[in-house]
Each structure stands twice: as structure tokens, then as C-alpha cells.
Amino acid sequence: MAIHPDPALIAPVPFNRATVVGSERRYLLEALANEDFGGTGPFARRCEALLEKHIGVPRALLTTSCTHALEMCALLLDLGPGDEVIMPSFTYVGCANAIALRQARPVFADIRADSFTLDPAGIEPLITARTKAIMLVHYAGISPDVEAIAALAKRRGLVLIEDNAHGAFARQGGRQLGTFGGLATLSFHATKNITCGEGGALLVNDPALIGRAEIIRDGGTDRSRFRRGEVGFYAWQELGSSYTIGDLLAAALLAQLESRDEITARRRTLWERYAQDLQHWAAAAGVALPYVPAGADQPYHVFYLVMPTREARTEFIAQLHDDGVHCASHYVPLHQSAPARRLMLRSQCELTEDVAARIVRLPLYTNMTEAEQSRVIESVLAARL
Ligand SMILES: Cc1ncc(COP(=O)(O)O)c(C=O)c1O
């Protein structure tokens, strides 16, 4: 008689599966029944109210992506030719595009070797008369220096933009990430803890920017005010684009936002099992596990390993791939990219280059089963370094 192995033991383990909590269906059907699922609809407003209340920001605006929320930041700050924004090279390309699309210059600063977030000591020497903002990326939703960088920005008269794509509802020192800067962004992309496939948000902490943010998101018009009955018609007011998210996506998102605590709890269990089961192996193999500073209330978004060498990482990813376990590296340094060379955005980011060459992320998704995680752990422990 043929023996059929348990399919869970042989099926490949993907790097990511989008979070599904179940209650999305009810809200999606409700949104369809509303027959009103364009941008800035009833579900989008409910999502925004939830973000405003639970993150503690004066205004949250849902957007089509975090990338677009970053583009809105660039428009809100009136970035133009000659302006500079200090940002990490170890980040997503959308951060640099947002600045460069306005003909302003991303100025790349290096990261800390442990948290992979901007090193405050590296920022100050890069500030010039042309610097308008600092864009801080909370890598993995962890940001040990956010307070220090916010204080530096304030002292030097610069706007702080917090790119919190990874860390919705995470805190540092008891305070929500996304509340330190004048502006902050979130991502609800399919790889994020809370998702509607493609989506994001702009958090506006500076009350003086709220009116313009609404205009920029709505095609550069005052349509939001028109919808609220504050003006009789709407017209072109300034540069903007169509950054509003449709209400079907907002309906799915609301279900997940309401389940944020369950999502975090599930991911925490997975994250802590990796940390526990891999600690001895990592110490023996010279592999670094994720750094979590004091005061971090983290979102359990990423579980990464920092391998001893670039070659060890390549070999490790290949071995796990052959085992059906899909791991992923992360950002390719932006300062080494072709556009950065073309725009002559030179910089010294040695730690960025080193980390980018050695980091690998293990599969981690909200609905990951215990059997799937066991497969990953067994593959890691069996890998020949
Ligand atoms: C740090 C960071 N910022 C921005 C983004 C862009 O997010 P979105 O896909 O929602 O545009 C990402 C994407 O993963 C990211 O990692």
C-alpha cells in the first residue's frame, strides 16, 4: 500500500501569505450593498476614525499605498529642485522616488548596525541650508532613536516624516510610532501585518497641513469640503493626484484594523517561537537574530537573520529554497542604484551595504500554521553554513 505523506509536510512554505481574518466578507458585502464604494466612502472614514483614535493623530487619510502617502508628503512640503531630504539608503524605493519625483535630492544617511534605522549621529553632518526634512524609516516597526531624531529635527527646524510602513500600532517608550513627526505614513500592502492588498495612510500630526493634505489626495481639488457641504462646487486648488482608496478595499481593511490585537498576538507567538527555537543554533553559527531595544512594543512584522557573510546568505537561501522554504533578502541599497548614480546621489553607507548583503527574512505571516513553522525551523537547523 502506498504511503501518502501529510501534504503539510511537503507543500512549499511561501515567504508570505496575505492576512485574512474572516470578518472581511461581511464588510465587503455591506460595502457592495451600499452601492457607494468610490474613494472617501463610509468604510474609508471608519478606518480613518479608528486610526485617529487608536494611534492618536489629528487626521488620518487612507491612500492607495504607502508610496502614494510618501508622494503626498513631498507635495505637502512643496519639495522642489535643490531641496534635500535626509533618508536611509536601506529602504524601499518608493521613499526615494517620492523625493526625486519633485526634482528634490534624497541624501542618504547610514543606519545603526543593530536596528537598521537611521543613526542620529550620521544625520547632523548631512544637514545643509537646503535640507527640508528627515525621513525616518521604522525598520520592522522598531525605532530606538525616534525620540532623539524628532528632537534633532525640531532643533534644526526640519520636518520629520516617519515612514511606518512596517509598524502600524507599534510603540517606542509607550508612544505610538507615527505620532513623533509632522507627517507619517502606513502601508496596508499584502505583505504587511494588516492589509487590503494595496493601501496605505497618511497621518497628519501638524494641524496646519490637514486642509492641504485633503486637497492633494483628492486630485488637487477641494472635493472633500464639497462632500461635507462646506462649498457649493469643487475646483482645482493645487497640485495633487488621485490618492483615495476605493471603499471595497477600505471595507476589507476595516475588518483587519478591528482585529489588530488578534493579528499581533498571533504573530507574536510565531515570532517568539523562532527566537526561542533558533537561539542556540544562531549563537553557534555566528548568526544575529532580530534586535529589540528597551521600550519597543514591536509589531512582530519581520523575523530576520543576519548571516556571517554574503556568501553564507546566498548559500542559506538556496538550501532552504531547495527544501521548499522561501526566504527573502531585503532592500538593495538605494545609494548604489542606477538612478542614484545618474542623479549623482553619492554617499558613504558602509553599514547599509554590509547589512543588505547579509540579511535574510524567514517566512512569517499571520495565518502560518505550526506545521509550516516547524518545517522552516527544521530547514534552518539543517542548513550547512
Ligand atoms: C519602508 C517602506 N516604505 C514604503 C513601502 C511602500 O509601501 P506600499 O507598497 O504600500 O506602497 C514599503 C514597502 O514594503 C516599505 O518597506
Side-chain angles (χ1 to χ4, degrees), residues 88-371:
S89 166
F90 188 66
T91 187
Y92 184 67
V93 62
C95 301
N97 270 327
I99 299 161
L101 279 167
R102 314 269 19 109
Q103 277 78 51
R105 284 176 77 82
V107 175
F108 298 118
D110 213 353
I111 49 173
R112 282 171 52 141
D114 49 13
S115 60
F116 317 146
T117 47
L118 280 183
D119 183 348
I123 296 175
E124 193 132 28
L126 298 175
I127 297 175
T128 69
R130 296 175 156 179
T131 308
K132 280 218 155 167
I134 299 170
M135 185 188 285
L136 171 57
V137 174
H138 304 313
Y139 185 76
I142 289 174
S143 205
D145 298 308
V146 61
E147 252 178 276
I149 294 173
L152 168 64
K154 192 165 176 208
R155 185 157 46 81
R156 300 299 298 263
L158 305 173
V159 176
L160 176 64
I161 302 167
E162 297 176 73
D163 178 348
N164 194 23
H166 300 181
F169 303 106
R171 294 165 197 262
Q172 179 63 35
R175 181 166 162 190
Q176 288 272 349
L177 299 183
T179 63
F180 292 85
L183 296 165
T185 61
L186 299 174
S187 173
F188 301 117
H189 180 260
T191 52
K192 302 304 186 291
N193 296 9
I194 295 170
T195 181
C196 56
E198 296 281 354
L202 175 67
L203 308 180
V204 189
N205 288 308
D206 180 350
L209 295 176
I210 293 174
R212 285 189 58 223
E214 287 185 347
I215 288 172
I216 288 168
R217 182 177 65 159
D218 233 342
T221 72
D222 52 354
R223 187 158 51 178
S224 293
R225 297 190 64 208
F226 170 70
R227 277 207 202 87
R228 292 196 290 262
E230 293 165 15
V231 287
F233 58 92
Y234 67 89
W236 192 17
Q237 305 287 334
E238 65 166 297
L239 286 188
S241 191
S242 181
Y243 295 127
T244 56
I245 192 170
D247 228 38
L248 292 173
L249 288 180
L253 182 62
L254 181 64
Q256 299 211 359
L257 287 170
E258 289 178 344
S259 302
R260 63 195 177 282
D261 292 341
E262 292 83 353
I263 291 171
T264 307
R266 176 67 196 137
R267 298 183 75 100
R268 178 179 180 166
T269 303
L270 294 162
W271 196 100
E272 287 181 344
R273 181 173 174 212
Y274 274 144
Q276 172 79 30
D277 290 9
L278 298 180
Q279 63 178 333
H280 296 303
W281 165 83
V287 170
L289 297 183
Y291 166 77
V292 184
D297 212 342
Q298 64 139 325
Y300 305 98
H301 178 53
V302 182
F303 194 94
Y304 61 76
L305 309 172
V306 185
M307 307 306 283
T309 61
R310 172 191 294 266
E311 294 71 29
R313 191 213 19 205
T314 308
E315 186 54 32
F316 178 85
I317 292 177
Q319 285 182 34
L320 266 71
H321 188 270
D322 289 348
D323 241 1
V325 173
H326 297 278
C327 299
S329 56
H330 214 169
Y331 309 119
V332 177
L334 292 173
H335 70 280
Q336 295 180 312
S337 63
R341 278 200 300 274
R342 234 182 0 260
L343 296 167
M344 294 190 300
L345 307 172
R346 287 197 210 92
S347 36
Q348 288 270 315
C349 295
E350 280 153 23
L351 287 167
T352 296
E353 289 171 29
D354 181 45
V355 168
R358 296 192 290 125
I359 196 166
V360 53
R361 293 171 294 158
L362 297 184
L364 177 65
Y365 39 90
T366 310
N367 294 340
M368 186 177 210
T369 64
E370 238 180 276

Side-chain angles (χ1 to χ4, degrees), residues 60-102:
L61 296 168
L62 282 199
T63 57
T64 28
S65 64
C66 182
T67 298
H68 284 164
L70 290 164
E71 290 179 22
M72 287 179 64
C73 291
L75 285 163
L76 270 168
L77 299 187
D78 290 317
L79 292 184
D83 291 334
E84 297 177 353
V85 177
I86 298 173
M87 59 170 288
S89 166
F90 188 66
T91 187
Y92 184 67
V93 62
C95 301
N97 270 327
I99 299 161
L101 279 167
R102 314 269 19 109

